[in-house]
Amino acid sequence: MLRRLDKIRFRGHKRDDFLDLAESPNASDTECGDEVPLKMPRTSARDSEELRDAAGPGTLIMAAGVQDFNRTEFDRLNEIKGHLEIALLEKHFLQEELRKLREETNSEMLRQELDRERQRRMELEQKVQEVLKARTEEPTAQQPPKGQAQVTNGADRRSQGLCPRVQKWFYEKFGEYVEDFRFQPEESAVETEEPLSARRLTENMRRLKRGAKPVTSFVKNLSALSDWYSVYTSAIAFTVYMNAVWHGWAIPMFLFLAILRLSLNYLIARGWRIQWSIVPEVSEPVEPPKEDLTVSEKFQLVLDVAQKAQNLFGKMADILEKIKNLFMWVQPEITQKLYVALWAAFLASCCFPYRLVGLAVGLYAGIKFFLIDFVFKRCPRLRAKYDTPYIIWRSLPTDPQLKERSSTAMSRRLQTASSRSYVSSAPAGLNKDEDAGRFHGTKKGNFHEIFNLTENERPLAVCEHGWRCCLINRDRKMPTDYIRNGVLYVTENYLCFESSKSGSSKRNKVIKLMDITDIQKYKVLSVLPGSGMGIAVSTPSTQKPLVFGAMVHRDEAFETILSQYMKITAAAAASSDS
């Protein structure tokens, strides 16, 4: 062990270069304190003589050996302590150096700079090789005969002086353009992703709204023209458009309108106050952003922005999926109409002159935009029968609708197959209600057997598959009985909760609707924003109300339970009065 500590001691810097022990973060109180030498008790001459007289010379020798042994152990401990201090100081110094190196150097930046320098070096080497190759491939001038030497001497000097000048002039004039066409590998820039922030998310949504405002205002103005919001403006626009199409000036008219719009934008940018819109603009109040927000306010802000983004992305996804399904023959009867229309347009463009085709398309577009759409928007039934583009767009399905249709078709097939097998094996004399009540069941078995109810008690059509929730029974003290996950059903007379855990039927809960004394919406966690996702039901048998929490379709379940409860109470009151 001492040899290993010696190696540690002489491996690092000198001890004079280290910091003080008090500055080391890993040093303890005992390591940083001053070393106090251990004082051995000294015996006087009189005491030694007494010891010598009492115990003799053997005892004196033994005491001296014990003192030498204590001194050697003390020296070893001091030496080990010194080695330990040096090791701790070395560790502290190495940690500081490592931290400085990590702060000063960045491996990714160094790697990118190294790749750039390598690329530059390869380009320079390639240029040098090209220059050397060009010099070696230059044909060596052959010496002419002696008779022609004097004649060609002047011409050679002129050509040798002219070629470098031409090359230099050409490189000065066109060298920059030649270098622009040199192929270089693309550098892949790594974009840093920003962390999630409520303030940043809200700001991006506001930027998106401001950026889309010109497009939305343009669409609103077009819709106002088609709806004849301003009769004079729509009449003037219809007259000008039809005249331009009839005389073949439709394209120049649209180009002139684009130039006019850019000119107005230039004047607005210069400070002019020019506002022209068919639909009056309504200024929305802008709320100043709050700097200090609580946790619940931040959470509610994120939820609002996420809801807007969800609705926006949903609408965009619906449009894209409908266009995709239109061209992918998902519904052949709809795509067939588009196929026939494209063939008709192709044949018309081949047989008729472009002026006639353009005139027909322009007139139809003007009449459709200004007159037909106005009539269809005012008469929805007429539009649902004769507006072909509207009918095609409404009938195009999205991907979730296709999945839902396939799942419903599969379930209908299974139901028909199972009903056929049941009808073939069922005894005669059962009516339809008994058949439906007997056949209905949950994942674990028949409904009436699980909850020990009569066969005519079955879930309502609204909650045929039940609502997933968790039952919170505050009368119980055990965690396993306090919260149970399961499914909630509503029958004509009972409120049934089926626990998801396998076991006996004791975990299930059956509440008679007539025994309910109070029912109301409940918020389990007051910290979260919103009105909550729970329903509290009070009965005489429970001291505290039973809470069905974490229910996604809470409002639907509450309305169903309340309406069924009111129906039963009204029927009971009518029977008691009679």
Side-chain angles (χ1 to χ4, degrees):
M1 181 177 179
L2 292 176
R3 292 178 181 177
R4 293 176 66 184
L5 289 173
D6 289 333
K7 290 180 181 180
I8 293 173
R9 179 179 181 181
F10 295 105
R11 185 176 60 186
H13 301 281
K14 294 181 181 181
R15 187 165 182 177
D16 297 333
D17 298 333
F18 290 108
L19 297 173
D20 192 11
L21 287 175
E23 299 177 359
S24 177
N26 297 326
S28 60
D29 296 338
T30 57
E31 295 169 355
C32 298
D34 297 332
E35 296 180 2
V36 180
L38 183 61
K39 294 183 180 181
M40 300 297 294
R42 297 182 179 178
T43 57
S44 60
R46 184 177 179 181
D47 296 334
S48 61
E49 288 179 1
E50 290 177 359
L51 289 172
R52 189 182 301 173
D53 294 337
T59 306
L60 184 60
I61 295 171
M62 186 179 296
V66 170
Q67 291 178 1
D68 295 335
F69 179 78
N70 290 333
R71 290 175 182 174
T72 55
E73 289 295 327
F74 180 75
D75 295 335
R76 289 179 182 177
L77 288 174
N78 286 335
E79 187 175 0
I80 291 172
K81 188 175 180 180
H83 289 308
L84 186 59
E85 291 174 357
I86 294 172
L88 291 173
L89 287 172
E90 185 179 2
K91 178 184 177 183
H92 175 64
F93 244 88
L94 291 175
Q95 289 178 352
E96 290 293 325
E97 291 293 332
L98 182 61
R99 184 179 59 81
K100 290 180 181 179
L101 288 173
R102 286 178 178 176
E103 291 177 355
E104 293 176 359
T105 61
N106 191 349
S107 59
E108 293 295 332
M109 294 179 63
L110 291 176
R111 189 177 300 172
Q112 293 178 1
E113 291 180 1
L114 182 60
D115 293 337
R116 292 174 185 173
E117 293 296 329
R118 286 178 180 174
Q119 189 67 26
R120 291 176 184 174
R121 181 178 61 82
M122 292 174 64
E123 292 177 358
L124 291 175
E125 288 179 359
Q126 187 176 2
K127 289 181 180 179
V128 171
Q129 290 178 1
E130 290 176 358
V131 171
L132 293 176
K133 188 176 180 180
R135 288 182 179 178
T136 53
E137 289 180 356
E138 288 180 357
T140 57
Q142 297 180 359
Q143 294 182 359
K146 293 182 180 180
Q148 298 178 358
Q150 295 178 358
V151 178
T152 59
N153 191 10
D156 292 340
R157 290 180 179 177
R158 292 176 184 176
S159 62
Q160 290 178 0
L162 184 62
C163 290
R165 292 179 182 176
V166 173
Q167 292 178 358
K168 185 177 180 181
W169 176 82
F170 182 79
Y171 186 77
E172 290 178 354
K173 294 292 183 181
F174 304 101
E176 185 177 358
Y177 302 103
V178 172
E179 290 293 333
D180 292 338
F181 287 95
R182 187 180 297 276
F183 293 98
Q184 294 181 357
E186 296 182 359
E187 297 180 358
S188 58
V190 180
E191 297 182 359
T192 58
E193 295 183 356
E194 298 181 359
L196 181 62
S197 174
R199 185 176 300 175
R200 187 67 175 174
L201 184 61
T202 309
E203 183 181 355
N204 290 339
M205 288 298 296
R206 289 175 180 171
R207 288 172 55 197
L208 179 63
K209 190 175 181 180
R210 289 195 299 267
K213 188 175 180 180
V215 180
T216 55
S217 63
F218 177 73
V219 173
K220 287 180 180 179
N221 288 327
L222 285 181
S223 179
L225 277 176
S226 178
D227 295 340
W228 293 74
Y229 185 84
S230 176
V231 180
Y232 298 104
T233 306
S234 298
I236 292 171
F238 177 69
T239 305
V240 172
Y241 174 79
M242 298 301 287
N243 286 326
V245 171
W246 183 260
H247 293 90
W249 296 340
I251 295 177
M253 181 190 68
F254 287 119
L255 294 176
F256 175 75
L257 290 176
I259 294 171
L260 180 62
R261 181 73 255 186
L262 286 177
S263 302
L264 292 176
N265 291 340
Y266 175 77
L267 295 177
I268 292 171
R270 288 294 180 180
W272 290 44
R273 293 184 178 180
I274 301 174
Q275 292 182 358
W276 180 84
S277 177
I278 302 174
V279 182
E281 296 183 357
V282 179
S283 60
E284 298 180 356
V286 179
E287 298 180 358
K290 298 180 181 179
E291 296 182 356
D292 298 332
L293 296 176
T294 60
V295 177
S296 60
E297 291 178 349
K298 289 182 180 179
F299 190 75
Q300 184 65 37
L301 184 63
V302 172
L303 285 180
D304 294 340
V305 176
Q307 184 180 4
K308 293 179 181 178
Q310 172 189 345
N311 297 333
L312 178 62
F313 294 155
K315 292 178 181 178
M316 294 173 62
D318 290 342
I319 294 171
L320 296 176
E321 287 174 357
K322 284 187 175 183
I323 295 173
K324 181 200 69 171
N325 294 331
L326 175 63
F327 288 97
M328 293 304 295
W329 293 83
V330 175
Q331 284 191 348
E333 62 275 5
I334 297 177
T335 311
Q336 188 176 2
K337 296 178 181 179
L338 176 64
Y339 189 73
V340 173
L342 290 176
W343 269 110
F346 172 72
L347 295 176
S349 63
C350 293
C351 298
F352 299 102
Y354 286 104
R355 181 179 178 82
L356 182 60
V357 173
L359 178 62
V361 172
L363 291 176
Y364 172 75
I367 295 172
K368 177 76 169 60
F369 181 78
F370 285 99
L371 300 178
I372 298 177
D373 286 348
F374 174 75
V375 175
F376 281 156
K377 288 180 181 179
R378 293 295 185 274
C379 305
R381 293 183 179 179
L382 195 66
R383 184 177 190 181
K385 290 181 179 180
Y386 301 105
D387 193 358
T388 305
Y390 175 77
I391 295 171
I392 291 175
W393 183 255
R394 289 294 300 270
S395 58
L396 280 172
T398 59
D399 290 347
Q401 292 175 355
L402 291 175
K403 291 181 181 179
E404 186 177 357
R405 290 178 184 178
S406 61
S407 62
T408 53
M410 184 64 68
S411 62
R412 286 177 182 175
R413 291 177 185 176
L414 293 175
Q415 287 179 1
T416 53
S418 58
S419 61
R420 287 175 184 175
S421 62
Y422 177 74
V423 167
S424 61
S425 62
L430 290 176
N431 55 11
K432 295 181 179 179
D433 296 337
E434 292 178 354
D435 188 9
R438 187 184 297 275
F439 185 75
H440 185 82
T442 61
K443 295 181 179 179
K444 298 179 182 179
N446 293 331
F447 185 83
H448 66 277
E449 293 178 356
I450 291 175
F451 297 103
N452 296 324
L453 301 174
T454 58
E455 293 184 359
N456 58 355
E457 289 289 341
R458 58 182 180 272
L460 300 177
V462 181
C463 59
E464 185 177 1
H465 301 287
W467 297 295
R468 297 196 62 85
C469 62
C470 64
L471 175 60
I472 303 174
N473 191 354
R474 298 186 177 182
D475 293 337
R476 303 296 180 90
K477 296 182 179 180
M478 295 297 294
T480 55
D481 297 334
Y482 186 80
I483 298 177
R484 299 177 190 173
N485 295 321
V487 183
L488 181 65
Y489 299 95
V490 180
T491 65
E492 294 181 357
N493 300 308
Y494 295 94
L495 187 65
C496 305
F497 175 79
E498 181 185 2
S499 178
S500 59
K501 291 186 178 180
S502 60
S504 61
S505 60
K506 294 180 180 180
R507 293 182 176 272
N508 300 332
K509 190 73 176 178
V510 179
I511 303 172
K512 196 172 182 180
L513 292 177
M514 287 296 296
D515 296 339
I516 295 176
T517 58
D518 185 19
I519 178 173
Q520 58 183 352
K521 296 180 180 180
Y522 188 76
K523 187 175 182 181
V524 180
L525 297 176
S526 59
V527 180
L528 297 178
S531 60
M533 301 172 64
I535 298 175
V537 178
S538 300
T539 58
S541 61
T542 56
Q543 297 179 357
K544 297 180 181 179
L546 297 174
V547 178
F548 299 96
M551 191 180 298
V552 178
H553 304 282
R554 193 274 304 272
D555 296 334
E556 181 182 3
F558 180 79
E559 294 295 334
T560 304
I561 298 171
L562 186 60
S563 62
Q564 192 66 22
Y565 173 75
M566 296 296 292
K567 187 188 297 183
I568 291 176
T569 53
S575 62
S576 63
D577 293 339
S578 62

